Amino acid sequence: MSSFYLNNLTDYNTAYEASVKNTEQFWDAIAKKNFLWKKRWSRVLEYDFSVPKIKWFEGAELNITENCIDRHLENNADKTAIIFEPNDPSSESEYITYKELQGRVNKFANVLKSKGVNKGDRVCIYLPMIPELAVSVLACARIGAIHSVVFAGFSSTALATRINDCDCKIVITSDGSYRGAKTIDLKGIVDEALESCPNVNSVLVAKRIHSNINMANGRDEWLEPLLNDASESCDATVMNAEDPLFILYTSGSTGKPKGMVHTTAGYMVYTAHTFKNIFQYQEDDVYWCTADIGWITGHSYIVYGPLLNGATTVMFEGVPNYPNYGRFWDIVQKHNINQFYTAPTAIRALAKQGDDFVNPYDLSSLKVLGTVGEPINDEAWHWYSTTIGKNKCPIVDTWWQTETGGILISPIPNCFSGKPTYATLPFVGIQPALMDENGNEILNTKAEGRLCIKFPWPSIARTIWGDHKRYKDTYFSAFANCYFTGDGALRDENGHYRITGRVDDVVIVSGHNLGTAPIEDAINEHRNIAESAIVGFPHDIKGNALYGFVTLKSESSESEIEVIKSEINALISKKIGPIAKLDKIQITKGLPKTRSGKIMRRILRKIAHKDTGNLGDISTLLNPDVVQSIIDNSLNK
Ligand code: PRX
């Protein structure tokens, strides 16, 4: 895997030009050179964004786990594939070699087979960041089952929605999880979820916290004895290039979460190629991404991208502030981390604690620093670069999405450097465009608009599970023949992109994508709530936080209102998860509405942003006077 490194700006310019002029030839060469195929493709790309239909490497046959594991065994059987760093710093780290990983994945795959899981079946994985999570993901891929990992911070209702949406019959979970000083009863959450999932007939439970949990007769089984009895060999199921590899849910601005479907070959080629080039991974480096495998970042850049490159990848079970705010840097020192990839919200939270938590540690192993998930502000960028990177590590501000499968816009360290707050230039093969309000592409280099991508890349999601129409409506309808990202961006005179944020009703809170409508739906179930509107507002650490404007059905006393406010957040925690809780709740007499009854969120957004100087023309509202009373009582004055 030594070839295809982009080593300097000329490499990038040449490769970029080729990737845009002869896209098929470009990816054909990369796919041929770097992977193990059981059968080559008959066609590199077939697509039509107006359907939409996208197929990469059609006709090819492969199994991604042979590329992630088996092919490394010849030279690197004893190399560490995964370093597991537990929540408790005094517990031993675990080092899983490629050979061991193969045995563990195969055993797990055989257990799944013994439970009747076949190619194409959906398997729900609801696990903390323990080795079983990576192993179960790969075990599904080994036998062609479609994994649907649900982040273990989601509530029972959110879990049930995801299980039912793609009709999983089996759930993999653990007795519980550690999170800093706390333990979480994951199995209890699963039990509650399964009360509304009649089709789940098997639950496999990993032992982690050794708690006394309920095991439903005939449905729940401990994993350990099953794995002990299973064989270490398992033939890799032959997959077609376009067979689904996984489903991963992401919030939409309305309605239920969208099950983004990623397929096998294109996802493999793109995540491998981006990982190698953007993180400049070299043989023997140790790479650490702090994300959870429950998000796309963990799928692509903890599991698949690194393992496809035969890398050593770290899985961290804990949190950045346990036992104290130096934990990340302790781990960097302990494992001599070379590439470190985290989110702006974590950087801001750690920077706020001061450098005393950083200074005791030797961070000299670091070579590349990455950030992902939301725009990184100037201050956080500089702190990261100076205090962590000692001004010698390039920062890769990587912009991408669950839907894109891999990084689309990012600096490439050897080729061109980062610029604070800019994701900079498109990766090879990526053709961004900025659109104006009328749907036309803005051709000036320096511009601001809605960010679209004009041409498919190998790891673009192919559909929304069970709802191709929604896929078309969400991503391919706003602008003709383009993929619409939902983000706004500006482009400087050198063609460098800076992502400015969502232009829809999605708010990114601590790097988590949250649709506001599903949160409103959740709280509107409260017996005393007439209606609500939720918007984002800037927050020092989280990037954005949520502000809810709520009207009540009946007059309530101050103490009743306090109870209602805490019930609102309890409801959100239950229906979605604690990450979606509101930071501010303002009880209002009414919400500003158009004459057709639509809530004017634009005005509420301005109030939440303390930007009430220019609210635009509000005279046409159904209830203009309500605006002033909301401003007068605003919690963000
Ligand atoms: O708004 C962009 C923001 O995160 C959104 C995608 O969220 P999700 O699907 O959860 O995936 C996150 C991890 C890839 C985008 O539409 N976003 C992601 N990375 C950046 C970003 N915004 C600015 N800069 C980034 N580097």
Side-chain angles (χ1 to χ4, degrees):
M1 296 287 291
S2 58
S3 59
F4 290 96
Y5 254 126
L6 300 168
N7 275 321
N8 51 50
L9 185 58
T10 315
D11 279 0
Y12 168 78
N13 285 335
T14 315
Y16 186 78
E17 205 180 307
S19 74
V20 170
K21 267 200 185 134
N22 291 308
T23 309
E24 295 193 32
Q25 241 175 333
F26 179 83
W27 289 113
D28 183 70
I30 289 169
K32 269 186 188 145
K33 181 92 182 173
N34 290 318
F35 303 92
L36 199 68
W37 303 92
K38 290 185 189 288
K39 190 174 150 214
R40 286 270 171 86
W41 46 97
S42 45
R43 191 168 177 184
V44 178
L45 170 66
E46 186 190 346
Y47 89 102
D48 181 349
F49 274 170
S50 70
V51 177
K53 169 180 78 175
I54 305 155
K55 291 180 176 179
W56 282 90
F57 306 110
E58 246 226 308
E61 291 178 352
L62 72 156
N63 185 289
I64 197 168
T65 66
E66 289 189 331
N67 284 277
C68 285
I69 307 171
D70 304 47
R71 73 180 160 137
H72 305 311
L73 297 187
E74 196 180 319
N75 299 320
N76 278 323
D78 296 326
K79 177 173 176 178
T80 302
I82 296 175
I83 299 176
F84 170 61
E85 179 60 32
N87 177 66
D88 177 357
S90 62
S91 297
E92 298 275 306
S93 313
E94 201 181 325
Y95 299 82
I96 304 169
T97 65
Y98 273 92
K99 179 86 198 103
E100 285 161 355
L101 184 61
Q102 184 193 47
R104 288 177 71 161
V105 167
N106 284 348
K107 276 175 171 281
F108 210 121
N110 284 323
V111 169
L112 291 176
K113 280 207 267 188
S114 75
K115 294 289 144 207
V117 177
N118 291 312
K119 180 176 172 182
D121 290 348
R122 277 79 56 212
V123 173
C124 175
I125 303 175
Y126 186 71
L127 279 173
M129 281 287 284
I130 55 176
E132 284 81 356
L133 174 50
V135 169
S136 59
V137 158
L138 293 163
C140 288
R142 187 78 175 174
I143 61 171
I146 304 170
H147 54 81
S148 169
V149 182
V150 178
F151 171 59
F154 275 122
S155 71
S156 58
T157 314
L159 174 62
T161 309
R162 287 158 176 78
I163 290 173
N164 288 330
D165 185 72
C166 63
D167 196 19
C168 298
K169 307 223 166 28
I170 182 164
V171 177
I172 301 165
T173 189
S174 67
D175 55 352
S177 66
Y178 294 115
R179 201 176 155 72
K182 288 191 288 196
T183 55
I184 294 165
D185 175 19
L186 281 196
K187 178 62 166 52
I189 297 173
V190 171
D191 287 343
E192 212 176 294
L194 294 191
E195 283 170 21
S196 43
C197 303
N199 293 342
V200 172
N201 50 37
S202 173
V203 178
L204 302 178
V205 188
K207 207 166 243 171
R208 180 60 189 150
I209 65 167
H210 299 268
S211 60
N212 200 358
I213 55 162
N214 165 54
M215 294 290 278
N217 227 340
R219 188 194 73 184
D220 303 350
E221 274 173 281
W222 291 106
L223 256 169
E224 212 177 320
L226 297 173
L227 289 169
N228 287 342
D229 289 348
S231 157
E232 277 203 359
S233 57
C234 174
D235 286 342
T237 298
V238 179
M239 304 297 285
N240 291 316
E242 283 297 340
D243 280 339
L245 174 64
F246 66 86
I247 299 168
L248 187 60
Y249 286 87
T250 186
S251 311
S253 43
T254 55
K256 59 180 184 178
K258 299 172 286 191
M260 304 314 306
V261 178
H262 283 282
T263 58
T264 307
Y267 178 81
M268 173 179 81
V269 170
Y270 194 79
T271 53
H273 197 60
T274 44
F275 174 78
K276 190 163 51 152
N277 283 295
I278 292 168
F279 295 104
Q280 298 281 308
Y281 185 84
Q282 312 274 350
E283 189 74 43
D284 300 330
D285 282 350
V286 180
Y287 161 91
W288 179 24
C289 165
T290 70
D292 191 291
I293 293 175
W295 309 112
I296 192 70
T297 307
H299 280 58
S300 302
Y301 299 110
I302 295 178
V303 181
Y304 287 112
L307 297 180
L308 285 163
N309 284 280
T312 299
T313 177
V314 175
M315 273 183 81
F316 175 45
E317 183 186 29
V319 290
N321 60 351
Y322 177 79
N324 60 51
Y325 283 94
R327 187 71 197 277
F328 274 7
W329 321 124
D330 183 33
I331 296 173
V332 168
Q333 173 180 279
K334 179 173 181 188
H335 297 298
N336 288 308
I337 302 294
N338 301 110
Q339 292 88 5
F340 177 74
Y341 192 25
T342 195
T345 186
I347 299 168
R348 287 190 294 264
L350 296 173
K352 194 174 164 211
Q353 300 304 317
D355 296 356
D356 288 352
F357 286 103
V358 185
N359 293 336
Y361 300 100
D362 176 3
L363 306 182
S364 60
S365 57
L366 289 171
K367 297 196 284 193
V368 176
L369 299 175
T371 139
V372 60
E374 59 186 304
I376 179 164
N377 50 309
D378 204 57
E379 202 184 335
W381 194 100
H382 284 287
W383 183 82
Y384 200 27
S385 178
T386 308
T387 308
I388 304 306
K390 316 295 179 203
N391 294 317
K392 71 171 179 62
C393 298
I395 292 186
V396 291
D397 177 354
T398 63
W399 172 82
W400 58 299
Q401 310 178 294
T402 306
E403 295 86 337
T404 69
I407 297 165
L408 298 198
I409 303 184
S410 170
I412 305 178
N414 282 338
C415 305
F416 50 89
S417 48
K419 166 173 169 181
T421 75
Y422 278 71
T424 69
L425 293 173
F427 192 67
V428 291
I430 304 304
Q431 301 186 38
L434 293 180
M435 303 294 180
D436 66 19
E437 297 282 329
N438 304 319
N440 299 317
E441 182 173 356
I442 310 171
L443 297 172
N444 297 347
T445 306
K446 197 165 166 15
E448 179 161 8
R450 288 164 186 237
L451 180 63
C452 288
I453 313 290
K454 290 197 285 189
F455 198 86
W457 60 98
S459 65
I460 183 174
R462 305 295 196 258
T463 189
I464 292 174
W465 183 264
D467 200 347
H468 199 64
K469 182 175 179 301
R470 188 174 181 200
Y471 175 69
K472 177 176 180 168
D473 292 347
T474 311
Y475 304 108
F476 298 95
S477 301
F479 304 98
N481 285 319
C482 273
Y483 165 82
F484 175 45
T485 64
D487 281 333
L490 54 86
R491 189 167 53 207
D492 72 8
E493 55 287 355
N494 300 314
H496 287 218
Y497 288 86
R498 174 186 185 168
I499 311 302
T500 48
R502 301 291 310 182
V503 293
D504 55 11
D505 287 326
V506 169
V507 182
I508 311 236
V509 179
S510 298
H512 301 308
N513 230 345
L514 298 173
T516 50
I519 308 175
E520 290 164 8
D521 291 346
I523 67 179
N524 290 350
E525 285 183 22
H526 189 284
R527 66 196 180 289
N528 202 1
I529 291 180
E531 58 183 353
S532 61
I534 291 169
V535 298
F537 71 97
H539 184 281
D540 279 354
I541 304 289
K542 302 180 185 185
N544 295 290
L546 297 175
Y547 191 138
F549 297 89
V550 176
T551 63
L552 300 180
K553 283 184 184 154
S554 55
E555 195 84 22
S556 303
S557 67
E558 294 235 334
S559 62
E560 283 166 339
I561 286 178
E562 281 319 303
V563 173
I564 292 170
K565 285 184 178 176
S566 66
E567 285 171 347
I568 287 175
N569 271 335
L571 252 177
I572 294 173
S573 285
K574 181 161 178 348
K575 298 269 171 193
I576 295 163
I579 50 176
K581 284 204 258 184
L582 309 183
D583 268 39
K584 295 195 170 164
I585 302 173
Q586 181 177 348
I587 306 293
T588 69
K589 293 232 168 326
L591 296 173
K593 294 211 176 133
T594 61
R595 287 189 192 270
S596 59
K598 212 169 159 241
I599 299 172
M600 288 292 279
R601 278 162 227 279
R602 180 179 61 75
I603 292 175
L604 297 173
R605 227 174 267 135
K606 288 209 161 205
I607 296 172
H609 278 74
K610 296 190 217 171
D611 175 21
T612 48
N614 177 16
L615 289 179
D617 181 12
I618 58 169
S619 64
T620 56
L621 289 182
L622 191 65
N623 48 355
D625 35 310
V626 89
V627 175
Q628 195 53 48
S629 95
I630 297 176
I631 294 173
D632 291 344
N633 297 307
S634 162
L635 306 171
N636 264 8
K637 272 191 277 193

